[in-house]
């Protein structure tokens, strides 16, 4: 039975916070962003109160404060968040309405995003994790849990919404999509977001999705809709689209003039549809309502006073929580050097096999990774051995693959998504940025340990613009990600196992030309071998020139350096985030010369970062300008001769080495 007094108290709390922000804090310049929830309170509060299990979770957005209050957020925390103070969910790091919160007996609030629509696929990932915990790991605490995700009507046009909808419907996940339809995305009417302006009408034929729609301001009707939606998902009957109509009683943000795009009649009609007016009628007792308003106002004012006493974040703290704290003990497991040489794809497959065997939280997924074993056959046989719950195919949506992985990781699993080719990861760029920031923007309260496997570069048979992209520098620029670029089977095994057992998100780049190249074959280093990130390998010593490379280009550098006997020192960087600055700087201080070679294009390639660090920290040790050999700033062509002309070959590298040695 609905506790209408509690619903009213929470709705009034949200309204009071909005009013104080709008009338006092924003005009005084004490807060920068103000996103009012006025008009949205009822449906959100009812949904928040319905999520009363510790393994329930919610993906929210910037207008979700009523839901947050119903889930346990305090007025003090709400004000502290808006004023960028400590004691808030992000400790002053993120916008006050970009929420996250560990469970306080109700839903875990997944770290939300400032990007519209980015909340959907992580919520779908959590919903899939519910099923995995309950059905595969047999954890009774997860049975009957649900995930919900909140969004405005404008968000239904985003990639994230449709990716999550496909996942939830095809897999029949316990996920409730609550669309709060106030008719506008900022100032753009819903007709530009949805054909015909009615998302629930359009989705009636969407197989496997229950549709519920109606008022989000009428107490009894809204409560019935929320209860039915949550019960449907909890009962294992699949996902629900809960489409509620609500007014937005203010502009999109503080100070916005709605009269620019709403008529006076429309504004007046929305004011009459205020859910607090309906709640007041529902309570019926004017005296009790007045007392409740006064009590809420006192509590909110007390919360503001408490927030005013919160400290500013320590300036030096802003650099913390980008990555997990390093392990106390350094990794010291030695590689096994006996046994036959294997190729890199086999080394990766063996690591995935042993990690799946040893840790039931590990999941491998992506397009075609199941029966086919991936387009590169790296996952061949894993689904047959471990089953479809643990190694599975996905819909063709990279945003969905990576967003799902975030939700799975937040729910305590160890996802290993595969992206078929580096270029195909571009639709997941938004999710990857968000994932890298999760630890930092929640001040270490949340972490997303996952490994995105991603083939990159040209193949031994062909290249082309779409399948041969390197572009690793893009990921190096993303804070919070570790990036591996192994050049051989042993390093691939050690780095992948270390990534799978670490606490940070990792991009694991696998060069297509090295999957079965003789130059990359090594003995398998053993099932326990782990290689730390940020430790380069000096694969050839020499006194006169330092050459730094990684991936397939490393082998070309070694071949070119062979001409000069023992004069050239060749360093395999192995990881570029972090990268081994000390080994590179130590070598340059010895040789006085540096050449950096990579397959990525020249402008803002990672060679530029290495060169800049060397120029800053070892300038006086240099006897020649820092040099780069890279692919020119063009895509990789399909024509083989043209491809070989743009990707630096051994002769080009040899000529540059000779030039530097003679300097």
């Amino acid at each position: 039975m609905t506790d209408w007094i509690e619903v009213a108290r929470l709705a009034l709390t949200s309204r009071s916070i909005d009013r104080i922000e709008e009338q006092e804090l924003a005009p005084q310049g004490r807060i920068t962003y103000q996103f009012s929830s006025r008009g949205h309170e009822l449906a959100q509060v009812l949904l928040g109160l319905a999520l009363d299990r510790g393994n329930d979770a919610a993906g929210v957005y910037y207008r979700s404060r009523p839901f947050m209050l119903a889930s346990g957020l305090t007025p003090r925390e709400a004000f502290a968040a808006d004023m960028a103070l400590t004691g808030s969910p992000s400790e002053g790091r993120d916008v006050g309405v970009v929420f996250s919160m560990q469970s306080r007996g109700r839903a875990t609030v997944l770290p939300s995003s400032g990007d519209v629509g980015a909340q959907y696929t992580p919520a779908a990932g959590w919903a899939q994790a519910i099923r995995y915990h309950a059905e595969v790991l047999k954890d009774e605490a997860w049975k009957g849990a649900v995930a919900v995700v909140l969004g405005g009507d404008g968000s239904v046009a985003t990639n994230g919404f449709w990716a999550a909808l496909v996942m939830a419907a095809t897999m029949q996940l316990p996920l409730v999509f609550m669309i709060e339809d106030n008719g506008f995305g900022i100032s753009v009417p819903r007709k530009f977001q949805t054909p015909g302006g009615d998302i629930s009408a359009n989705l009636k034929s969407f197989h496997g999705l229950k549709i519920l729609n109606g008022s989000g301001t009428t107490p009894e009707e809204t409560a019935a809709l929320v209860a039915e939606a949550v019960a449907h998902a909890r009962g294992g009957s699949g996902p629900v689209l809960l489409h509620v109509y609500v007014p937005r009683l203010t502009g999109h943000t503080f100070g916005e003039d709605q009269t620019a795009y709403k008529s006076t009649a429309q504004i007046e009609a929305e004011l009459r549809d205020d859910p607090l007016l309906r709640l007041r009628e529902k309570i019926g007792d004017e005296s009790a309502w007045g007392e409740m308003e006064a009590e809420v106002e006192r509590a909110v004012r007390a919360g503001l006073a408490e927030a005013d006493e919160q400290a500013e974040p320590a300036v030096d703290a802003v650099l913390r929580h980008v990555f997990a704290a390093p392990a106390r003990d350094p990794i010291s497991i030695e590689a096994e050097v006996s046994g036959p040489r294997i190729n890199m794809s086999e080394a990766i497959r063996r690591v995935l096999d042993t990690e799946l065997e040893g840790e039931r939280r590990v999941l491998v997924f992506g397009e075609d990774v199941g029966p086919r074993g991936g387009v590169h056959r790296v996952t061949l046989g894993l689904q047959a051995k471990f089953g479809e719950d643990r190694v599975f195919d996905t819909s063709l949506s990279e945003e969905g693959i990576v967003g799902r992985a975030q939700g799975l990781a937040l729910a305590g699993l160890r996802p290993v998504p595969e992206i078929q080719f580096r270029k195909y990861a571009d639709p997941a760029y938004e999710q990857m940025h968000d994932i890298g920031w999760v630890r930092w923007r929640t001040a270490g309260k949340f972490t997303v340990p996952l490994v995105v496997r991603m083939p990159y570069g040209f193949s031994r048979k062909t290249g082309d613009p779409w399948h041969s992209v390197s572009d690793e520098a893009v990921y190096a620029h993303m804070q919070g990600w570790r990036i591996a670029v192994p050049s051989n089977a042993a390093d691939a095994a050690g780095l992948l196992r270390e990534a799978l057992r670490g606490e940070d998100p990792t991009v694991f780049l696998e060069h297509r030309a090295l999957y079965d190249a003789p130059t990359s074959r090594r003995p398998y280093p053993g099932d326990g071998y782990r290689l730390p990130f940020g430790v380069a390998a000096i694969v050839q010593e020499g006194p006169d020139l330092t050459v730094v490379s990684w991936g397939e280009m490393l082998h070309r550098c070694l071949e070119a350096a062979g001409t000069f006997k023992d004069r050239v020192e060749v360093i395999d960087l192995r990881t570029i985030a972090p990268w081994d600055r000390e080994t590179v700087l130590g070598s340059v201080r010895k040789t006085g010369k540096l050449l950096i070679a990579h397959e990525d294009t020249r402008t803002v390639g990672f060679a530029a970062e290495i060169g800049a660090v060397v120029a800053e920290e070892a300038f006086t040790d240099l006897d020649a300008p820092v040099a780069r050999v890279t692919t020119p700033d063009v895509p990789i062509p399909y024509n083989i001769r043209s491809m070989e002309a743009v990707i630096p070959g051994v002769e080009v590298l040899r000529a540059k080495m000779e030039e530097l040695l003679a300097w």
Side-chain angles (χ1 to χ4, degrees), residues 117-170:
Q119 69 270 33
Y120 288 107
T121 50
W126 186 287
Q128 184 176 350
I130 290 171
R131 176 174 294 168
Y132 188 83
H133 278 290
E135 297 180 4
V136 179
L137 300 183
K138 305 299 182 184
D139 188 339
E140 293 289 327
W142 287 81
K143 288 188 176 179
V146 298
V148 303
V149 59
L150 291 71
D153 52 286
S155 69
V156 303
T158 64
N159 291 342
F161 173 77
W162 290 100
L165 198 66
V166 169
M167 281 191 281
T170 56

Side-chain angles (χ1 to χ4, degrees), residues 527-546:
D527 290 344
Y529 180 58
R530 294 166 63 183
L531 184 61
F533 277 56
V535 178
I538 299 176
V539 293
Q540 177 175 301
E541 294 186 355
D544 298 327
L545 170 64
T546 298

Side-chain angles (χ1 to χ4, degrees), residues 370-381:
R372 191 181 182 199
V375 295
H376 306 284
R377 303 299 189 270
V378 176
T379 59
L380 191 64

